[in-house]
Amino acid sequence: MPDGADLTLSTPDVALIQRRTVGVLAAGQVLGGVAFGSTVSLGALLAADLSGEESLSGFATASVTLGAALCAIPLARLASAQGRRRALTLGNLLALVGIAVVITAAALRLFPLLLVGVILIGAGNAGNLQSRFAATDLSGQARRGRDLGTVVWATTVGGVVGPLMLTPGEAVGQWLGMPPLTGSYAFSIVAQTLALILYLVALRPDPLKVAQQLARTRDAGATRVVEVDRPIVARYAVFAVAGSHVTMASVMAMTPVHLAHLDPRNVTTIVGVTIALHVFGMYGLSPVFGILADRWGRLQTILLGQAILAASLVTAAIAPNSPTAVLIALLLLGLGWSAATVGGAALLTEATPTELRPRRQGRSDTAMTLSAAVGSVLAGGILSLIGYGGLALVALAVVIAITVLSPYARR
């Protein structure tokens, strides 16, 4: 099937392409979730091990987000010019190279090389982030949040399974002769390769190319293109998504290190379970938040996310030395992130004309990931100075700012 450059499409044709696109993107997110979830959990531990300084552990998560920030706009431009399929497959290739570099760094015990590999993995994650916007390329307004939430939800399977593969991954790694703490990367290589093949073969016709063609022909009945530009609303959506992400990323990045102090004997088990539940919170209820965004409103869903994030941070601040409380806080942290991200991405999409969407979506991903990179680096120092509970209270300030500025989204 062609990429979509010269198609004559009716409304049923577009609906069929959209259903196929959502299915392919959902399957790709399952595989991407396995690849990313089984590696991100180990980033902070590997960074602390290779550097010999726990205060540098945040550089791993910072490098992931920095890689995504550096590649978000280039991948968005590539998608705008050549379609989503090219952008997503390039992201997968970058992640595969990054995994190989991380394993090499662990074998040679080179901390700077580790960061280079993690940056490349983050660059690949920029492609995964773009998938949620790809799900909205052909969506009507009444289903935009639901389609977006469905693709985000698909990451649940891989994202929950990935962290749980830490312990069996170490066994596989020993059998393969891999360096300590890198066994799970074997699973990541397989999953990332399968995702690459899936996008190359099945993401046809390209949804963004179809949407661009339909926008050019002004076939509003088939595409339901939103032509009204609301830049102030779009800027608030970018801020809400970026702020929610930096809140989640900064606290999540330091949780493995904090839990290692609470229970050093069972660190892989407790970290794996906690991060798995956190990832479930991030993606497990995203279709529900998508439906809420469609029926209740985009802004209301964003504010619901801020309320859940606040509950998470207060829980972590009150009982930072309780593994159970930390687990509950991480679960709520994921749920709040999910509501804010789904609502914010839907709000950004509908506030932006079709021809401007890839550019603004790329800028949104850049702002989100770059702010999280800075936040993750600062989180390591904050953790050393005022502890895990203090870090939660600092992150709460961002939640308050998003809530206070919400009237801008009503314009």
Side-chain angles (χ1 to χ4, degrees):
M1 188 177 286
D3 276 349
D6 298 302
L7 296 175
T8 302
L9 297 169
S10 64
T11 299
D13 292 330
V14 174
L16 180 62
I17 293 171
Q18 174 63 5
R19 286 195 297 271
R20 175 184 173 88
T21 297
V22 171
V24 172
L25 292 172
Q29 287 298 92
V30 170
L31 296 169
V34 171
F36 193 68
S38 60
T39 57
V40 71
S41 303
L42 293 171
L45 297 176
L46 272 172
D49 178 47
L50 297 186
S51 68
E53 296 287 342
E54 286 190 354
S55 61
L56 299 180
S57 58
F59 276 78
T61 301
S63 297
V64 170
T65 51
L66 177 61
L70 291 174
C71 287
I73 290 178
L75 286 179
R77 288 178 177 173
L78 178 63
S80 182
Q82 300 186 32
R84 299 287 189 189
R85 185 167 59 90
R86 296 282 180 88
L88 293 176
T89 52
L90 177 58
N92 277 283
L93 284 172
L94 290 171
L96 281 169
V97 174
I99 292 170
V101 172
V102 167
I103 295 173
T104 303
L108 300 177
R109 299 200 58 80
L110 294 175
F111 177 64
L113 185 61
L114 171 72
L115 297 183
V116 172
V118 175
I119 286 173
L120 289 171
I121 292 174
N125 192 45
N128 286 338
L129 292 174
Q130 195 178 113
S131 294
R132 72 193 193 283
F133 289 123
T136 67
D137 286 335
L138 295 172
S139 284
Q141 185 172 353
R143 288 190 57 91
R144 184 168 293 127
R146 186 177 306 180
D147 288 345
L148 191 152
T150 298
V151 172
V152 173
W153 171 84
T155 313
T156 307
V157 179
V160 172
V161 171
L164 294 177
M165 299 303 290
L166 298 186
T167 301
E170 281 304 290
V172 171
Q174 289 180 2
W175 181 69
L176 294 174
M178 298 175 67
L181 295 177
T182 64
S184 294
Y185 287 83
F187 301 122
S188 298
I189 292 172
V190 175
Q192 205 77 60
T193 302
L194 291 175
L196 172 65
I197 295 171
L198 174 70
Y199 290 137
L200 280 173
V201 173
L203 197 60
R204 298 169 183 268
D206 191 286
L208 183 56
K209 286 189 175 182
V210 174
Q212 289 169 336
Q213 178 195 344
L214 294 175
R216 284 193 297 269
T217 61
R218 304 295 183 188
D219 190 355
T223 64
R224 304 186 183 106
V225 174
V226 178
E227 293 297 335
V228 177
D229 188 12
R230 295 184 288 163
I232 293 177
V233 176
R235 283 196 289 269
Y236 174 79
V238 171
F239 173 69
V241 171
S244 301
H245 189 68
V246 71
T247 299
M248 181 277 294
S250 58
V251 176
M252 185 273 290
M254 293 299 101
T255 299
V257 177
H258 178 63
L259 290 174
H261 286 297
L262 297 182
D263 192 355
R265 293 190 217 172
N266 301 308
V267 59
T268 56
T269 300
I270 192 172
V271 168
V273 172
T274 301
I275 298 300
L277 284 175
H278 168 68
V279 173
F280 172 79
M282 290 176 66
Y283 305 115
L285 296 185
S286 55
V288 175
F289 295 130
I291 293 172
L292 284 177
D294 287 336
R295 296 183 180 179
W296 190 28
R298 320 303 191 200
L299 177 59
Q300 288 84 345
T301 306
I302 292 172
L303 293 178
L304 173 63
Q306 302 315 300
I308 299 173
L309 286 173
S312 164
L313 298 172
V314 170
T315 300
I318 291 175
N321 295 323
S322 167
T324 302
V326 172
L327 187 148
I328 293 171
L330 263 288
L331 175 60
L332 291 174
L333 193 71
L335 289 170
W337 176 91
S338 180
T341 300
V342 171
L347 181 63
L348 174 62
T349 299
E350 71 178 21
T352 305
T354 302
E355 63 271 16
L356 297 178
R357 283 178 188 167
R359 186 187 311 169
R360 283 190 183 166
Q361 289 164 352
R363 289 175 180 173
S364 176
D365 284 345
T366 297
M368 179 179 76
T369 51
L370 189 58
S371 61
V374 175
S376 298
V377 171
L378 295 177
I382 295 172
L383 180 70
S384 300
L385 290 174
I386 57 177
Y388 192 73
L391 173 63
L393 292 177
V394 171
L396 187 60
V398 180
V399 174
I400 294 172
I402 295 171
T403 304
V404 169
L405 294 175
S406 62
Y408 283 98
R410 301 184 187 277
R411 296 189 175 185

